[in-house]
Amino acid sequence: MKFRHTNRPGFLLGMVDFFTAGLFFLIYMPRGGLQAELEFILGHPVLPY
């Protein structure tokens, strides 16, 4: 895959995206931060994911 405007391979962007999503799921989600954040934004308790 190449970007039309930069003519560079998109592998690096995909790898960085995959790595940061992995860190999010491994570190942030198990701590319950997302659950508390959703409840705060919505203003009511929600079922756990």
Side-chain angles (χ1 to χ4, degrees):
M1 177 176 120
K2 291 196 173 191
F3 295 110
R4 186 172 58 195
H5 300 292
T6 60
N7 199 22
R8 294 182 185 170
F11 175 76
L12 182 62
L13 182 63
M15 188 180 71
V16 168
D17 184 37
F18 185 77
F19 181 73
T20 54
L23 285 179
F24 173 76
F25 283 112
L26 288 174
I27 295 173
Y28 187 68
M29 282 187 76
R31 293 186 177 183
L34 184 63
Q35 183 78 23
E37 192 171 331
L38 285 173
E39 290 177 354
F40 177 75
I41 291 171
L42 296 174
H44 60 81
V46 294
L47 291 173
Y49 49 87

